Protein backbone atom coordinates (compact mmCIF):
# COMPACT_ATOMS: atom_id res chain seq x y z
CA UNK A 1 0.00 0.00 0.00
CA UNK A 2 1.12 3.52 -0.60
CA UNK A 3 0.83 6.26 2.01
CA UNK A 4 -2.33 7.71 0.43
CA UNK A 5 -4.03 4.35 0.71
CA UNK A 6 -3.32 4.31 4.44
CA UNK A 7 -4.77 7.79 4.88
CA UNK A 8 -7.87 6.81 2.91
CA UNK A 9 -8.14 3.60 4.88
CA UNK A 10 -7.99 5.46 8.20
CA UNK A 11 -10.65 7.92 7.03
CA UNK A 12 -12.98 5.09 6.03
CA UNK A 13 -12.38 3.22 9.28
CA UNK A 14 -13.04 6.40 11.27
CA UNK A 15 -16.34 6.83 9.39
CA UNK A 16 -17.29 3.25 10.22
CA UNK A 17 -16.38 3.80 13.89
CA UNK A 18 -18.58 6.90 13.98
CA UNK A 19 -21.47 4.95 12.46
CA UNK A 20 -20.98 2.15 14.99
CA UNK A 21 -21.04 4.66 17.87
CA UNK A 22 -24.16 6.44 16.64
CA UNK A 23 -26.20 3.63 15.10
CA UNK A 24 -29.68 3.31 16.67
CA UNK A 25 -29.14 -0.40 17.27
CA UNK A 26 -26.30 -0.42 19.75
CA UNK A 27 -23.87 -3.26 19.25
CA UNK A 28 -20.27 -3.37 20.30
CA UNK A 29 -19.45 -6.17 17.87
CA UNK A 30 -19.18 -3.89 14.82
CA UNK A 31 -17.46 -1.18 16.81
CA UNK A 32 -14.92 -3.73 18.01
CA UNK A 33 -14.30 -4.95 14.46
CA UNK A 34 -13.70 -1.37 13.31
CA UNK A 35 -11.37 -0.66 16.21
CA UNK A 36 -9.40 -3.83 15.45
CA UNK A 37 -9.06 -2.78 11.81
CA UNK A 38 -7.83 0.65 12.88
CA UNK A 39 -5.35 -0.88 15.33
CA UNK A 40 -3.96 -3.13 12.60
CA UNK A 41 -3.62 -0.26 10.14
CA UNK A 42 -1.95 2.00 12.72
CA UNK A 43 0.55 -0.75 13.53
CA UNK A 44 1.25 -1.16 9.82
CA UNK A 45 2.04 2.54 9.38
CA UNK A 46 4.11 2.64 12.56
CA UNK A 47 1.86 4.81 14.73
CA UNK A 48 2.29 2.49 17.71
CA UNK A 49 1.16 4.94 20.40
CA UNK A 50 -2.18 5.54 18.67
CA UNK A 51 -2.52 1.82 17.96
CA UNK A 52 -2.05 1.07 21.66
CA UNK A 53 -4.76 3.58 22.66
CA UNK A 54 -7.25 2.09 20.18
CA UNK A 55 -6.38 -1.49 21.18
CA UNK A 56 -6.88 -0.65 24.86
CA UNK A 57 -10.28 0.89 24.08
CA UNK A 58 -11.20 -2.22 22.11
CA UNK A 59 -10.05 -4.50 24.91
CA UNK A 60 -12.46 -2.75 27.30
CA UNK A 61 -15.31 -3.44 24.85
CA UNK A 62 -14.26 -7.07 24.53
CA UNK A 63 -14.27 -7.50 28.30
CA UNK A 64 -17.76 -6.01 28.53
CA UNK A 65 -18.99 -8.41 25.84
CA UNK A 66 -16.96 -11.32 27.21
CA UNK A 67 -15.97 -12.18 23.67
CA UNK A 68 -13.01 -14.43 24.31
CA UNK A 69 -12.09 -15.15 20.70
CA UNK A 70 -12.01 -11.51 19.59
CA UNK A 71 -10.16 -10.77 22.83
CA UNK A 72 -7.33 -13.03 21.67
CA UNK A 73 -6.99 -10.98 18.47
CA UNK A 74 -6.92 -7.72 20.42
CA UNK A 75 -4.30 -9.01 22.87
CA UNK A 76 -2.25 -10.31 19.96
CA UNK A 77 -2.32 -6.82 18.43
CA UNK A 78 -1.11 -5.43 21.73
CA UNK A 79 1.70 -7.99 21.60
CA UNK A 80 2.58 -6.82 18.09
CA UNK A 81 2.81 -3.25 19.35
CA UNK A 82 5.12 -4.30 22.20
CA UNK A 83 7.25 -6.38 19.80
CA UNK A 84 7.68 -3.43 17.43
CA UNK A 85 8.54 -1.20 20.40
CA UNK A 86 11.27 -3.66 21.36
CA UNK A 87 9.70 -4.97 24.58
CA UNK A 88 10.25 -8.63 23.73
CA UNK A 89 9.55 -9.92 27.23
CA UNK A 90 6.13 -8.28 27.47
CA UNK A 91 5.28 -9.24 23.87
CA UNK A 92 6.26 -12.85 24.53
CA UNK A 93 4.09 -12.93 27.65
CA UNK A 94 1.05 -11.68 25.71
CA UNK A 95 1.70 -14.09 22.83
CA UNK A 96 1.95 -17.01 25.27
CA UNK A 97 -1.31 -15.94 26.92
CA UNK A 98 -2.96 -15.70 23.48
CA UNK A 99 -1.59 -19.11 22.49
CA UNK A 100 -3.00 -20.75 25.63
CA UNK A 101 -6.38 -19.09 25.08
CA UNK A 102 -6.44 -20.03 21.40
CA UNK A 103 -5.71 -23.65 22.30
CA UNK A 104 -8.40 -23.65 25.00
CA UNK A 105 -10.95 -22.24 22.54
CA UNK A 106 -9.73 -24.37 19.61
CA UNK A 107 -9.11 -21.20 17.60
CA UNK A 108 -6.59 -22.78 15.24
CA UNK A 109 -5.88 -19.73 13.07
CA UNK A 110 -4.91 -17.67 16.10
CA UNK A 111 -2.91 -20.61 17.47
CA UNK A 112 -0.87 -20.64 14.25
CA UNK A 113 -0.42 -16.86 14.42
CA UNK A 114 0.85 -17.06 17.98
CA UNK A 115 3.35 -19.79 17.13
CA UNK A 116 4.54 -17.56 14.29
CA UNK A 117 4.88 -14.54 16.57
CA UNK A 118 6.62 -16.54 19.30
CA UNK A 119 8.95 -17.97 16.66
CA UNK A 120 9.89 -14.48 15.53
CA UNK A 121 10.69 -13.47 19.11
CA UNK A 122 12.79 -16.60 19.62
CA UNK A 123 14.75 -15.77 16.46
CA UNK A 124 15.36 -12.19 17.60
CA UNK A 125 16.51 -13.52 20.97
CA UNK A 126 18.95 -15.82 19.16
CA UNK A 127 17.20 -19.06 20.03
CA UNK A 128 17.18 -20.36 16.46
CA UNK A 129 16.20 -23.96 17.25
CA UNK A 130 13.16 -22.95 19.30
CA UNK A 131 12.23 -20.35 16.67
CA UNK A 132 12.32 -22.97 13.94
CA UNK A 133 10.20 -25.35 16.04
CA UNK A 134 7.60 -22.64 16.67
CA UNK A 135 7.52 -21.59 13.02
CA UNK A 136 7.16 -25.21 11.93
CA UNK A 137 4.22 -25.58 14.34
CA UNK A 138 2.66 -22.48 12.80
CA UNK A 139 3.20 -23.91 9.30
CA UNK A 140 1.67 -27.28 10.19
CA UNK A 141 -1.43 -25.72 11.72
CA UNK A 142 -1.78 -23.22 8.85
CA UNK A 143 -1.57 -26.00 6.31
CA UNK A 144 -4.11 -28.11 8.21
CA UNK A 145 -6.67 -25.29 8.29
CA UNK A 146 -5.85 -23.88 4.83
CA UNK A 147 -4.67 -20.52 6.16
CA UNK A 148 -2.58 -19.51 3.16
CA UNK A 149 -1.61 -16.05 4.43
CA UNK A 150 0.03 -17.35 7.60
CA UNK A 151 1.52 -20.33 5.77
CA UNK A 152 3.16 -18.10 3.15
CA UNK A 153 4.68 -15.83 5.82
CA UNK A 154 5.95 -18.72 7.92
CA UNK A 155 7.30 -20.68 4.96
CA UNK A 156 9.22 -17.64 3.74
CA UNK A 157 10.62 -17.04 7.23
CA UNK A 158 11.71 -20.68 7.51
CA UNK A 159 13.30 -20.55 4.06
CA UNK A 160 15.25 -17.43 5.01
CA UNK A 161 16.46 -19.06 8.23
CA UNK A 162 17.55 -22.23 6.46
CA UNK A 163 19.43 -20.19 3.85
CA UNK A 164 21.17 -18.14 6.54
CA UNK A 165 22.12 -21.14 8.66
CA UNK A 166 22.97 -23.41 5.71
Amino acid sequence: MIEGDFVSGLEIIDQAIQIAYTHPIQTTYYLSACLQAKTTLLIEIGDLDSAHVIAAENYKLIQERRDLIVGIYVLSSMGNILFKQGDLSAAKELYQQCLASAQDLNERRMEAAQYRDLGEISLVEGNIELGIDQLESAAAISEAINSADILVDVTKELGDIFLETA
Side-chain angles (χ1 to χ4, degrees), residues 13-80:
I13 291 170
D14 284 337
Q15 289 172 0
I17 289 170
Q18 186 59 34
I19 291 168
Y21 272 127
T22 60
H23 196 274
I25 301 172
Q26 291 297 314
T27 176
T28 57
Y29 177 80
Y30 296 109
L31 176 58
S32 180
C34 294
L35 293 173
Q36 181 62 28
K38 186 169 184 175
T39 298
T40 302
L41 187 55
L42 289 169
I43 290 170
E44 191 67 30
I45 64 174
D47 188 351
L48 302 179
D49 292 334
S50 296
H52 180 76
V53 169
I54 300 298
E57 178 183 349
N58 198 8
Y59 193 66
K60 287 180 193 175
L61 284 175
I62 298 304
Q63 288 178 316
E64 290 171 13
R65 273 201 350 257
R66 299 179 190 259
D67 190 337
L68 300 176
I69 291 176
V70 176
I72 298 170
Y73 283 84
V74 174
L75 285 177
S76 181
S77 292
M78 293 173 136
N80 291 339

Side-chain angles (χ1 to χ4, degrees), residues 113-156:
Q114 296 318 296
Y115 274 122
R116 178 199 59 213
D117 295 340
L118 287 166
E120 289 177 3
I121 287 179
S122 294
L123 295 174
V124 170
E125 292 176 333
N127 193 339
I128 305 301
E129 190 173 310
L130 177 60
I132 289 171
D133 287 346
Q134 291 165 323
L135 291 171
E136 286 177 340
S137 293
I141 294 167
S142 297
E143 187 171 27
I145 63 170
N146 294 318
S147 181
D149 60 327
I150 295 174
L151 183 59
V152 167
D153 288 344
V154 171
T155 303
K156 181 193 178 307

